[in-house]
């Protein structure tokens, strides 16, 4: 089974967010081919969450799981630590007061 490049997935995700009028920005550009992606959801109230894609070894499914939640500053700090270990990491910041990130929609796993 072929996989999409990280850049293709990021571009498609940003387009889907724009279609729903949800602002999002690439805050760290990772490796275009195989970089991992973190999605930070900023609810614009001082709180945030970061999500990463996980692989379920039992089922073979890929899904998005919450990596960290808390104050925006704490989430930013956690993301910065992740970037120290993985310079190929993409970070996308989604800004939505309603908490929409669309990661639970079909096709984004």
């Amino acid at each position: 089974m072929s996989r999409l490049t990280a850049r293709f997935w990021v571009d498609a995700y940003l387009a889907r967010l724009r279609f729903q009028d949800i602002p999002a920005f690439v805050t760290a550009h990772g490796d275009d081919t195989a970089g991992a992606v973190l999605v930070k959801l900023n609810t614009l109230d001082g709180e945030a969450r970061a999500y990463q894609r996980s692989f379920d070894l039992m089922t073979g499914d890929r899904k998005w799981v919450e990596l960290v939640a808390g104050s925006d500053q704490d989430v930013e700090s956690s993301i910065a630590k992740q970037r120290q270990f993985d310079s190929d990491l993409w970070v996308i910041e989604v800004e939505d007061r309603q908490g929409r990130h669309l990661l639970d929609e079909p096709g984004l796993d």
Side-chain angles (χ1 to χ4, degrees):
M1 180 173 168
S2 63
R3 291 184 53 208
L4 299 175
T5 65
R7 177 62 184 253
F8 187 88
W9 187 93
V10 167
D11 288 344
Y13 180 56
L14 292 173
R16 192 177 284 193
L17 290 164
R18 275 192 304 274
F19 184 71
Q20 297 291 325
D21 293 322
I22 301 171
F25 313 91
V26 174
T27 58
H29 186 281
D31 180 77
D32 283 344
T33 305
V37 179
L38 282 182
V39 175
K40 176 187 171 194
L41 173 63
N42 184 341
T43 52
L44 305 172
D45 61 357
E47 297 295 308
R49 299 181 185 289
Y51 298 90
Q52 68 180 4
R53 205 172 343 191
S54 178
F55 187 75
D56 185 332
L57 295 174
M58 298 298 288
T59 65
D61 293 337
R62 296 173 61 158
K63 61 183 179 178
W64 287 92
V65 296
E66 188 176 287
L67 174 67
V68 63
S71 72
D72 184 56
Q73 187 175 27
D74 289 345
V75 172
E76 276 297 319
S77 177
S78 180
I79 291 171
K81 288 178 187 173
Q82 292 290 324
R83 289 205 24 87
Q84 287 177 344
F85 295 110
D86 185 358
S87 61
D88 293 334
L89 183 67
W90 287 80
V91 180
I92 300 170
E93 181 162 348
V94 177
E95 295 180 344
D96 188 65
R97 291 185 193 282
Q98 298 172 36
R100 298 174 297 165
H101 50 62
L102 308 182
L103 296 172
D104 49 357
E105 288 194 353
L108 289 175
D109 46 3

